[in-house]
């Protein structure tokens, strides 16, 4: 030991080890990262190493004994950052980002209670520093006053970079597209560590602010002209029929329309949903040509599009990267226009997809996430709470909401890799040999049963009859990687055109007092939901920047842009630059002028929507004189867990 410490490199090695141990202990004791499996355990342990080598390694460039002091200084800064995250996490259950630091309320609200968040054993946080200072004072006299040869610190930095590379590659194997898809801070910290997360966050914030700074108020005019010209007058028979009624919007996770009426082993997979489609007395209108338009943001893209009538971004999740933007979303509009209370219900951690931040910008009043539910082992599978307990436990929460409410119920069990616990499956898997596809039907059935139970409970609670019920699928569950098995399921080849047809997700709606239309074949997509709902409530969509049009309107525009620029219309589709006839399924060798113009329109529309998000353009737009910009500081989703437990 003495020998080791007689050199600066030895001192550095001890500092790295102390930093590593300390960070790991804190990961294990202070954060609830949901680590599962050997790979995640390993990465959690491994990830501090690269940061330790790189950050502390920088100190080795200093001359003489200064290097030792730098090592202590950097250890202090790293420790301080970690400690700040620990305190923030104790209060918010989340990690610090630049965006949260900018939002005064996050730290403001913490200010008063910061002392209350400290624990006596926090004093141990400085233990490594004490050790380093003692060792430094004891051994520094042995150190040379020269600068260490360049080779050594460079080797250390290279080792740090390699460690980081290994870390990132293993993380990508366990969670593909970890960085591009920008899911969840918990995930990033779990896989890459607090410090790498900080750098990632800083780079992202920088990119975001760059585009935002370059935008100005004239940019919104072009967008406004476009959306106003696309606008479709409401259908007089539907307009205002739902005014002031509770809205229950049910999100069917990963649910594709081909499941409706699909029979496996001679049985319906989703008999309950099928009954809503076919039993006219239930008064549903089912849109069988409704599509999702999501990209990497998956669920979050669907949420964004349905509540704002903007498209998700071509890369990453706008919920995360544009989580601080100004929005003029349904929840806020409904609150301002008709005194609605909005709530989102979801049995997962609150920070997934940055929901706990972006919901404030959308004006969502109540956010019921995992701490509101009984997340005991038997209730949880895969990502989170199983759909049956989720719906069941949501009923009392719904009953307590101020009415009229806009409630968004987000299911989770029918999510890749589509697993149900033994004894909870009520249909045999398919038999293609592709596990994902085979199990897909079992979780769909589970969801169907959960929904049926929910409807019974809603009726018992008196919340069904007079509520608008809206059901939608968020995005595909079976990706193109499973085409072989899907060919067996569909009994036909999965061509590029067929794949686009498989992007249909269900949309059904029941408006109390309005006769259901049965199946409506209008071509529409998630972007159309916001204007449709506004019109149902009697609010003219014309004032708002919406890219969709009312699905019930005669003037509804029935082209469906996908995020990659492909699109579908009733008669023809454009996929990977090739036009297809939807009826004959043949390639259209010579597309008409109209088709080519439509393609331009689609690309233009996507570009404008991206401009709105990237430039944060809605901050320059005032829909009408009644509009009050949403102030995120008015929303708070932190609750006292003990208090909640007592209530339950
Ligand atoms: C996570 C859940 C799933 O909370 O909504 O999101 P997805 O992976 O479908 O985007
Ligand atoms: Mn989803």
């Amino acid at each position: 030991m003495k020998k080791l410490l007689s050199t600066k490199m030895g001192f550095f090695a001890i500092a790295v080890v102390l930093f590593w141990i300390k960070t790991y202990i804190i990961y294990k004791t202070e954060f609830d990262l949901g680590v599962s499996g050997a790979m995640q355990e390993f990465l959690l342990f491994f990830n501090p190493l690269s940061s330790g080598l790189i950050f502390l390694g920088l100190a080795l460039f200093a001359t003489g004994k200064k290097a030792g002091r730098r090592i202590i200084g950097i250890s202090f800064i790293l420790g301080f950052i970690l400690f700040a995250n620990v305190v923030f996490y104790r209060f918010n259950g989340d990690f610090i980002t630049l965006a949260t630091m900018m939002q005064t309320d996050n730290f403001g609200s913490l200010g008063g209670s910061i002392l209350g968040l400290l624990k006596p054993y926090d004093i141990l946080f400085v233990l490594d520093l004490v050790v380093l200072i003692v060792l430094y004072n004891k051994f520094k006299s042995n150190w040379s006053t020269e600068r260490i040869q360049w080779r050594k610190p460079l080797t250390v930095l290279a080792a740090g970079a390699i460690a980081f590379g290994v870390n990132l590659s293993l993380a990508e194997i366990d969670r593909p597209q970890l960085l591009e898809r920008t899911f969840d801070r918990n995930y990033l910290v779990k896989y890459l560590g607090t410090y790498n997360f900080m750098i990632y966050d800083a780079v992202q914030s920088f990119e975001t602010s760059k585009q935002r700074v370059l935008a100005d108020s004239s940019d919104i005019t072009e967008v406004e002209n476009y959306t106003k010209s696309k606008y479709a007058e409401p259908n007089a028979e539907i307009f205002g029929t739902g005014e002031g009624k509770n809205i229950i919007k049910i999100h069917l996770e990963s649910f594709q329309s081909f499941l409706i009426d699909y029979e496996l082993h001679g049985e319906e997979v989703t008999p309950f949903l099928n009954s809503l489609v076919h039993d006219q007395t239930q008064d549903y209108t089912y849109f069988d040509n409704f599509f999702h338009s999501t990209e990497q943001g998956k669920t979050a893209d669907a949420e964004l599009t349905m509540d704002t009538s903007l498209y998700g971004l071509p890369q990453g999740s706008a919920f995360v990267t544009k989580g601080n933007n100004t929005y003029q979303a349904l929840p806020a509009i409904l609150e301002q226009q008709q005194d609605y209370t909005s709530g989102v219900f979801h049995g997962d951690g609150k920070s997934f997809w940055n929901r706990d931040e972006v919901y404030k910008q959308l004006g969502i009043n109540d956010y019921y996430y995992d701490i509101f539910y009984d997340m005991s082992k038997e209730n949880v599978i895969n990502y989170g709470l199983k759909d049956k307990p989720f719906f069941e436990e949501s009923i009392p929460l719904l009953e307590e909401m101020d009415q009229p409410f806009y409630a968004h119920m987000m299911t989770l069990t029918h999510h890749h890799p589509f697993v149900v616990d033994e004894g909870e499956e009520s249909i045999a898997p398919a038999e293609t040999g592709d596990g994902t596809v085979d199990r897909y039907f079992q979780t769909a059935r589970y969801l169907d049963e959960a929904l049926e139970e929910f409807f019974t409970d809603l009726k018992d609670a008196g919340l069904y009859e007079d509520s608008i019920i809206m059901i939608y699928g968020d995005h595909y569950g079976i990706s193109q990687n499973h085409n072989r098995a899907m060919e067996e399921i569909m009994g036909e080849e999965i061509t590029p055109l067929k794949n686009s047809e498989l992007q249909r997700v269900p949309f059904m709606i029941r408006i109390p007092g309005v006769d259901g239309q049965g199946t409506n074949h209008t071509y529409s997509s998630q972007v159309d939901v916001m204007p449709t709902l506004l019109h149902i409530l009697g609010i003219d969509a014309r004032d708002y920047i919406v890219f969709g049009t009312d699905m019930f309107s005669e003037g509804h525009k029935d082209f469906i842009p996908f995020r990659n620029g492909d699109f579908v219309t009733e008669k023809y589709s454009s996929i990977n630059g090739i036009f297809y006839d939807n009826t004959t399924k043949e390639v259209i060798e010579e597309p008409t002028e109209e088709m080519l113009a439509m393609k331009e329109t689609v690309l233009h529309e996507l570009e404008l929507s991206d401009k709105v998000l990237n430039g944060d353009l809605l901050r320059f737009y005032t829909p009408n004189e009644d509009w009050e910009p949403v102030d995120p500081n008015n929303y708070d989703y932190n609750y006292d867990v003990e208090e909640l437990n007592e209530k339950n």
Side-chain angles (χ1 to χ4, degrees), residues 488-504:
E488 230 174 277
I489 295 294
M490 304 307 296
E492 62 182 299
E493 194 191 338
I494 311 291
T495 59
L497 179 65
K498 182 68 197 172
N499 180 60
S500 73
E501 292 172 6
L502 283 171
Q503 305 314 310
R504 288 184 173 89

Side-chain angles (χ1 to χ4, degrees), residues 251 253-254 298-300 415 474-475:
H251 165 116
E253 178 58 43
S254 304
K298 300 300 271 301
T299 296
H415 188 290
D474 64 342
H475 49 74

Side-chain angles (χ1 to χ4, degrees), residues 559-593:
F559 58 91
I560 318 293
F562 293 141
R563 220 9 292 201
N564 60 2
D566 287 352
F567 66 95
V568 173
T569 70
E570 192 185 339
K571 298 206 163 56
Y572 62 93
S573 304
S574 164
I575 312 295
N576 300 334
I578 300 174
F579 283 87
Y580 295 88
D581 184 310
N582 290 350
T583 322
T584 65
K585 317 284 180 203
E586 298 291 330
V587 172
I588 300 172
E589 303 288 354
E590 282 185 30
T592 62
E593 288 294 313

